[in-house]
C-alpha cells in the first residue's frame, strides 16, 4: 500500500514536471502563431497613422480669455472618450481627463502674491503630461500603464488591478479612478471608444485612437489654433517651432519627470 | 497539531465565536463593496489610498516587530527568549495575513490580483512588496511550525531550519523597508519623500510589535497555565522603550528638516496634520493625541520602577500601541495626500462600510492569532505537565 502510494506520487510529480517543462515550448508556439495572426488581422499601423518619437503639446494660454473658451475643448474630450459625469452625483467619484485650474494650482510653488493679473485669473488647461520619465509607469506593478514608442503614456484597462499606485506616483494629479460603474453616468455613449468598468484607473491618452487614424487630438482640433501638437524630436515640427520662438513653462519641471505639455504664458 | 485548536474552554469558544461574527460582518460588507466598487469608501481622486492601506502599513510593522524576540535568541543566544520566540513568529503570521487581506480589499479589481505575478514588473516596488510579504509569511509558517512541533516531540528542531531562521531576521527588516519604499520614492509627494521614512517605519514597528507582544504575554499568563515569564516581559519592555524613543527622535529629525528648510511642498503636510491647512484640520486632535501618548509612554517607561510594575507596564504598552497606530494607521497615509499635488485640500475620512470591512480583516487576523496561540500554549502546557 505504502509503496504504491509512493509510486503514484512519483509519477504524478514527474508528469507535473514534464508539463511545466513543456510549457515554454508551447508558449513559443502560441506566440509565433499569435504574431502571424495579428499581422493577418492588420495589427500593423495604418498608413495614414501619425507617428513621432515623442508627442508633445504647446498650449498658448494667450489665446484663451476665460473659462468659456476652454469648455468646448474639455467637453469634446470627455464626450468622445466616454468619460462619466459625476458632478451631479458624488464629487468624490469624479473622473477627469482634461480640466481647468488656476495658475496657482497648475503651478504651485511658482505662484506669488504678485502675479500678472491676466495670469492670475486665467484658466489653465491641465491634463496628463505624458512625461518622458513617467513615475506612474515605474510604479505600476502589472505594466497596465506603459510608455508607448511614440512617447504616449497609455493605460490597459483590462490589465489594471486598481491598486492606484500610479495615482500616488503622479505628481500632477492627472489620474482618476473608477470608484463605481461609470457606464450609467455617460450621457451619450461613443461606440468608437471603449467604456470602462469599475475599479480601474484612467487618464488622458493623447487621443491615441485618433492618431492611429491620422487625426490630431480632439482638444487640439477644438482649440482653434491655441494648442499645437507635434513631435518633440522633430526640429521641423510645429511644437519645436513654437518652443524656439516663445518662452514656455512646464508643470513641476524640477521633479525630472520630463513633462511634454508646454505652456506659453 | 491543528487539532489542539479544536479543544478549548467555554471562554475560548466564545471568543472564537465573536471573531467569526466579526469576520462574517466584514465579509458581507466586502461583498457589497465588491459589487458597488470602492466608491463605498471615503477615498477619492485626491486621497486615493485610505484606511485599508494605512492599516496594511501599520501591520507590516507589527509583523516585523516579531523579529525583536527572534534576533536576541538566535543571534545573541539570549536563552530567556527561547520560551517566547514562537509567540513572535505566530504574531507575525497573523499580522501578515491581515496585511495581505488589506491589500486585497483595497484593489479595484481583486480578481486580477495575480496579474502582479503573470506580468512581473521588477521596476515596481509593489512587485517586491508582494515577494517580501509572502516570503516572510512562508518563513514564519515553516519556522514556527517546525520549532513548535520539535518542542512537542521533545526533540531539537531539524538542522535544515537554521538557514531559514537566520534568513528571517534580515527579511523582517526587509518587509518594512520595502513597504516604506512604496511611499518614499514618489516624486511630488513631499511628506513621504524622505530617507528617514524606512528607519521611522522600523523604529515604530519595533515599538508597536513588542508592545503588543507584552500585552499578549500578560493575557496568556492570565488565561492559561503557560507563563511567558517575568524576565522575558522585562526584556521586551526595554526593547519597547528604546524603540519608541528612537521613533520619536526620527520624527523630530523629520520635523527639524521640514520646518527649518521651510520648503512648502514638504512643510504643508506636517502643517496640515498638526495645525490644519486652509481651514481643514480633521486630523489635528488625533496627531496631538498620538504625540502625547508616545511622550507620556517614554517618560513612564524610562522610570525603572514603573517598567517593573507589570500593570503599569501594560498601560505603557497600550499608550505606545495606540500612539504609533494613530501616527501610522491614521496620519501617515492621508497626510501624504493632503494637500494634493495641485495644492488643494480635500480631506479624507473613512465611511462606516469601510470601517466594517477593516474590522472584518482585524477579526480574521485575530482569529488566526487565537488559533495559533492556542496551539502554541497547549503545546507549552503539555510540555510542562
Amino acid at each position: 500500500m505504502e509503496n504504491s502510494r509512493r509510486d503514484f506520487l512519483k509519477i504524478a510529480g514527474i508528469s507535473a514536471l514534464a508539463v511545466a517543462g513543456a510549457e515554454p515550448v508551447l508558449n513559443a508556439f502560441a506566440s509565433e502563431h499569435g504574431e502571424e495572426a495579428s499581422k493577418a488581422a492588420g495589427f500593423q499601423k495604418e498608413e495614414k497613422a501619425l507617428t513621432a518619437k515623442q508627442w508633445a503639446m504647446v498650449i498658448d494660454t494667450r489665446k484663451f480669455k476665460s473659462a468659456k473658451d476652454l469648455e468646448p475643448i474639455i467637453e469634446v474630450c470627455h464626450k468622445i472618450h466616454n468619460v462619466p459625469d459625476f458632478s451631479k452625483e458624488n464629487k468624490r467619484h469624479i473622473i477627469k481627463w482634461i480640466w481647468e485650474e488656476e495658475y496657482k494650482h497648475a503651478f504651485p510653488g511658482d505662484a506669488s502674491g504678485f502675479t500678472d493679473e491676466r495670469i492670475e485669473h486665467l484658466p489653465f488647461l491641465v491634463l496628463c503630461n505624458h512625461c518622458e520619465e513617467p513615475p506612474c509607469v515605474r510604479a505600476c506593478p502589472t505594466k497596465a500603464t506603459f510608455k508607448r514608442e511614440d512617447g504616449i503614456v497609455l493605460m490597459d484597462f483590462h490589465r489594471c488591478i486598481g491598486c492606484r499606485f500610479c495615482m500616488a506616483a503622479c505628481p500632477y494629479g492627472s489620474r482618476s479612478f473608477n470608484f463605481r460603474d461609470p457606464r450609467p453616468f455617460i450621457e451619450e455613449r461613443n461606440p468608437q471608444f471603449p467604456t470602462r468598468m469599475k475599479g480601474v484607473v484612467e487618464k488622458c491618452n493623447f487621443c491615441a485612437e485618433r492618431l492611429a487614424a491620422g487625426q490630431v487630438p480632439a482638444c487640439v482640433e477644438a482649440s482653434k489654433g491655441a494648442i499645437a501638437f507635434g513631435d518633440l524630436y522633430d526640429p521641423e515640427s510645429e511644437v519645436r517651432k513654437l518652443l524656439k520662438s516663445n518662452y514656455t513653462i512646464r508643470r513641476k519641471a524640477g521633479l525630472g519627470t520630463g513633462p511634454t505639455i508646454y505652456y506659453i504664458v | 497539531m491543528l487539532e489542539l485548536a479544536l479543544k478549548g474552554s467555554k471562554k475560548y469558544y466564545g471568543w472564537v465565536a465573536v471573531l467569526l461574527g466579526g469576520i462574517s460582518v466584514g465579509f458581507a460588507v466586502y461583498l457589497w463593496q465588491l459589487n458597488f466598487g470602492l466608491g463605498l469608501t471615503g477615498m477619492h481622486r485626491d486621497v486615493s489610498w485610505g484606511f485599508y492601506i494605512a492599516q496594511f502599513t501599520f501591520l507590516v510593522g507589527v509583523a516585523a516587530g516579531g523579529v525583536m524576540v527572534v534576533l536576541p535568541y538566535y543571534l545573541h543566544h539570549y536563552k530567556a527568549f527561547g520560551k517566547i520566540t514562537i509567540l513572535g513568529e505566530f504574531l507575525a503570521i497573523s499580522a501578515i495575513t491581515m496585511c495581505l487581506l488589506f491589500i486585497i480589499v483595497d484593489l479595484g479589481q481583486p480578481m486580477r490580483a495575480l496579474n502582479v505575478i503573470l506580468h512581473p514588473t521588477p521596476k515596481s516596488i509593489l512587485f517586491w512588496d508582494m515577494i517580501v510579504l509572502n516570503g516572510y509569511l512562508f518563513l514564519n509558517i515553516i519556522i514556527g511550525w517546525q520549532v513548535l512541533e520539535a518542542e512537542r516531540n521533545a526533540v531539537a528542531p531539524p538542522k535544515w531550519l537554521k538557514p531559514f531562521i537566520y534568513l528571517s531576521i534580515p527579511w523582517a527588516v526587509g518587509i518594512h523597508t520595502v513597504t516604506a519604499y512604496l511611499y518614499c520614492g514618489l516624486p511630488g509627494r513631499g511628506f513621504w519623500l524622505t530617507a528617514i521614512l524606512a528607519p521611522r517605519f522600523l523604529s515604530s514597528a519595533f515599538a508597536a510589535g513588542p508592545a503588543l507582544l507584552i500585552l499578549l504575554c500578560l493575557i496568556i499568563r492570565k488565561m492559561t497555565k503557560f507563563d511567558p515569564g517575568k524576565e522575558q516581559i522585562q526584556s521586551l519592555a526595554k526593547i519597547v522603550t528604546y524603540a519608541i524613543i528612537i521613533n520619536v527622535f526620527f520624527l523630530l529629525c523629520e520635523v527639524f528638516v521640514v520646518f527649518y528648510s521651510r520648503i512648502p511642498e514638504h512643510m504643508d503636510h506636517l502643517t496640515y496634520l498638526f495645525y490644519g491647512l486652509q481651514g481643514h484640520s480633521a486630523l489635528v486632535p488625533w496627531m496631538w493625541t498620538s504625540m502625547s501618548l508616545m511622550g507620556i509612554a517614554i517618560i513612564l517607561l524610562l522610570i525603572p520602577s514603573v517598567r517593573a510594575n507589570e500593570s503599569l507596564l501594560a498601560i505603557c504598552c497600550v499608550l505606545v500601541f495606540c500612539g504609533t497606530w494613530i501616527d501610522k494607521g491614521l496620519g501617515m497615509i492621508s497626510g501624504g495626500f493632503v494637500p494634493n499635488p495641485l495644492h488643494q485640500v480635500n480631506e479624507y475620512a473613512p465611511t462606516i462600510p469601510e470601517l466594517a470591512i477593516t474590522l472584518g480583516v482585524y477579526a480574521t487576523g485575530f482569529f488566526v492569532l487565537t488559533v495559533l496561540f492556542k496551539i502554541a500554549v497547549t503545546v507549552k502546557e503539555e510540555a510542562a505537565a
Side-chain angles (χ1 to χ4, degrees):
Chain A
M1 189 64 203
E2 187 59 41
N3 261 341
S4 72
R5 202 178 74 152
R6 185 170 290 168
D7 286 344
F8 170 73
L9 286 174
K10 248 188 222 164
I11 292 165
I14 289 166
S15 31
L17 267 178
V19 170
E23 205 187 44
V25 182
L26 288 172
N27 280 346
F29 263 109
S31 67
E32 207 172 293
H33 188 72
E35 230 165 70
E36 264 164 37
S38 69
K39 264 182 204 161
F43 203 71
Q44 280 166 314
K45 274 192 198 103
E46 287 206 39
E47 268 173 42
K48 55 185 175 181
L50 302 180
T51 54
K53 196 174 163 210
Q54 169 70 56
W55 288 115
M57 213 175 241
V58 177
I59 301 179
D60 191 345
T61 62
R62 296 170 305 187
K63 292 186 176 156
F64 294 121
K65 295 286 168 278
S66 68
K68 245 204 162 110
D69 296 338
L70 306 183
E71 265 168 31
I73 299 174
I74 297 167
E75 206 182 290
V76 68
C77 166
H78 286 183
K79 205 168 160 184
I80 65 164
H81 293 120
N82 293 321
V83 175
D85 180 14
F86 285 109
S87 60
K88 291 167 212 106
E89 187 65 19
N90 187 341
K91 288 230 159 63
R92 276 215 311 264
H93 302 156
I94 231 158
I95 289 177
K96 40 193 184 184
W97 283 28
I98 180 167
W99 71 100
E100 51 162 272
E101 288 289 351
E102 284 177 75
Y103 176 71
K104 64 173 179 189
H105 292 308
F107 298 91
D110 296 335
S112 79
F114 312 101
T115 310
D116 174 330
E117 232 171 76
R118 181 182 67 88
I119 302 288
E120 199 182 345
H121 302 292
L122 190 73
F124 279 74
L125 271 180
V126 292
L127 62 156
C128 170
N129 275 292
H130 296 279
C131 301
E132 295 198 67
E133 293 287 340
C136 55
V137 170
R138 221 179 302 142
C140 177
T142 62
K143 303 188 193 84
T145 195
F146 55 96
K147 194 163 174 63
R148 213 165 66 157
E149 54 186 11
D150 59 358
I152 298 183
V153 176
L154 270 186
M155 277 293 305
D156 181 343
F157 302 122
H158 295 98
R159 189 184 282 192
C160 173
I161 61 172
C163 70
R164 309 189 295 297
F165 203 179
C166 56
M167 296 178 78
C170 176
Y172 306 102
S174 294
R175 291 175 164 267
S176 303
F177 180 70
N178 286 282
F179 280 100
R180 58 181 299 185
D181 182 11
R183 284 161 191 150
F185 301 92
I186 301 169
E187 215 166 284
E188 199 184 326
R189 211 180 277 193
N190 170 20
Q192 305 289 321
F193 197 79
T195 57
R196 273 74 68 194
M197 69 197 303
K198 67 171 181 243
V200 297
V201 171
E202 62 177 80
K203 64 166 198 73
C204 157
N205 67 345
F206 252 11
C207 283
E209 80 285 1
R210 287 173 59 94
L211 294 174
Q215 296 168 299
V216 295
C219 58
V220 176
E221 198 175 270
S223 72
K224 294 180 195 153
I227 307 177
F229 187 76
D231 188 351
L232 194 59
Y233 290 96
D234 173 8
E236 299 305 315
S237 72
E238 201 187 337
V239 294
R240 279 291 291 276
K241 281 178 190 158
L242 282 169
L243 291 176
K244 225 180 277 175
S245 52
N246 292 279
Y247 175 70
T248 49
I249 55 172
R250 291 183 296 167
R251 297 174 65 198
K252 301 191 182 178
L255 295 180
T257 55
T260 60
I261 312 286
Y262 291 76
Y263 296 85
I264 303 176
V265 286
Chain B
M1 282 188 295
L2 267 175
E3 74 280 1
L4 298 177
L6 297 174
K7 262 199 274 171
S9 64
K10 270 201 179 134
K11 260 190 199 160
Y12 171 72
Y13 286 128
W15 171 239
V16 168
V18 168
L19 291 174
L20 289 175
I23 293 171
S24 326
V25 172
F27 186 69
V29 181
Y30 178 65
L31 290 180
W32 180 19
Q33 180 190 291
L34 204 55
N35 183 46
F36 182 87
L38 280 162
L40 211 59
T41 70
M43 289 184 272
H44 47 83
R45 229 182 151 276
D46 288 339
V47 182
S48 46
W49 281 335
F51 215 57
Y52 299 147
I53 294 299
Q55 301 317 302
F56 151 78
T57 308
F58 177 74
L59 289 166
V60 172
V62 172
V67 79
M68 283 290 110
V69 285
V70 175
L71 187 149
Y73 177 66
Y74 286 104
L75 292 191
H76 297 274
H77 305 287
Y78 179 58
K79 290 278 178 288
F81 273 175
K83 215 172 163 187
I84 56 167
T85 49
I86 190 71
L87 301 183
E89 283 148 0
F90 280 178
L91 176 62
I93 292 174
S94 79
I96 292 285
T97 307
M98 288 188 267
C99 291
L100 295 173
L101 285 174
F102 273 120
I103 293 276
I104 295 294
V105 300
D106 188 69
L107 290 182
Q109 285 291 336
M111 297 75 88
R112 297 181 188 164
L114 287 181
N115 277 3
V116 177
I117 298 163
L118 293 172
H119 308 286
T121 313
K123 268 189 193 168
S124 171
I125 300 297
L126 207 59
F127 169 78
W128 293 106
D129 214 35
M130 181 264 304
I131 289 179
V132 290
L133 288 178
N134 284 297
Y136 195 59
L137 179 63
F138 288 123
L139 279 175
N140 276 290
I141 291 176
I142 293 166
I143 296 166
W145 205 257
Q146 285 295 334
V147 168
L148 193 65
E149 198 155 49
E151 186 172 343
R152 194 185 191 196
N153 298 334
V155 293
K159 273 218 173 81
W160 57 262
L161 199 61
K162 266 280 157 76
F164 288 97
I165 292 170
Y166 290 138
L167 181 63
S168 81
I169 293 168
W171 203 287
V173 178
I175 59 167
H176 220 17
T177 305
V178 174
T179 303
Y181 286 2
L182 287 177
Y183 308 107
C184 69
L186 306 176
R189 301 284 179 188
F191 185 55
W192 301 326
L193 192 67
T194 164
I196 199 93
L197 200 71
R200 249 184 91 188
F201 273 21
L202 284 165
S203 60
S204 93
F206 295 153
L212 180 60
L213 207 54
I214 290 178
L215 293 171
L216 291 171
C217 284
L218 292 172
I219 292 170
I220 285 174
R221 181 197 281 162
K222 206 160 187 192
M223 305 292 247
T224 72
K225 282 181 219 117
F226 170 61
D227 180 8
K230 208 169 169 60
E231 186 195 337
Q232 285 80 351
I233 288 175
Q234 285 306 312
S235 299
L236 279 174
K238 277 183 205 122
I239 291 170
V240 172
T241 310
Y242 273 114
I244 190 70
I245 291 171
I246 294 171
N247 184 44
V248 171
F249 168 66
F250 284 170
L251 175 69
L252 291 176
C253 290
E254 179 69 17
V255 167
F256 169 77
V257 169
V258 163
F259 283 106
Y260 196 80
S261 70
R262 305 202 80 73
I263 299 172
E265 272 172 33
H266 293 259
M267 195 168 58
D268 290 338
H269 301 278
L270 276 174
T271 311
Y272 164 70
L273 285 175
F274 286 97
Y275 300 102
L277 199 66
Q278 300 170 22
H280 297 276
S281 53
L283 285 173
V284 172
W286 288 97
M287 293 315 288
W288 285 110
T289 308
S290 166
M291 292 306 120
S292 319
L293 293 177
M294 291 196 278
I296 296 168
I298 288 177
I299 294 168
L300 291 177
L301 283 169
L302 280 175
I303 305 167
S305 59
V306 174
R307 220 169 45 230
N309 179 331
E310 281 182 353
S311 341
L312 289 176
L313 177 64
I315 294 171
C316 291
C317 288
V318 173
L319 297 182
V320 167
F321 191 80
C322 295
T324 48
W325 180 81
I326 295 171
D327 181 32
K328 236 160 149 185
L330 219 50
M332 184 56 72
I333 303 306
S334 33
F337 283 115
V338 182
N340 75 1
L342 293 99
H343 212 268
Q344 294 149 334
V345 177
N346 287 311
E347 291 191 286
Y348 157 83
T351 59
I352 291 175
E354 202 173 354
L355 293 176
I357 293 173
T358 303
L359 276 180
V361 174
Y362 268 105
T364 313
F366 275 93
F367 175 77
V368 172
L369 185 73
T370 304
V371 166
L372 291 177
F373 271 26
K374 173 76 174 60
I375 294 170
V377 166
T378 311
V379 167
K380 302 266 184 194
E381 283 172 343
E382 277 174 5

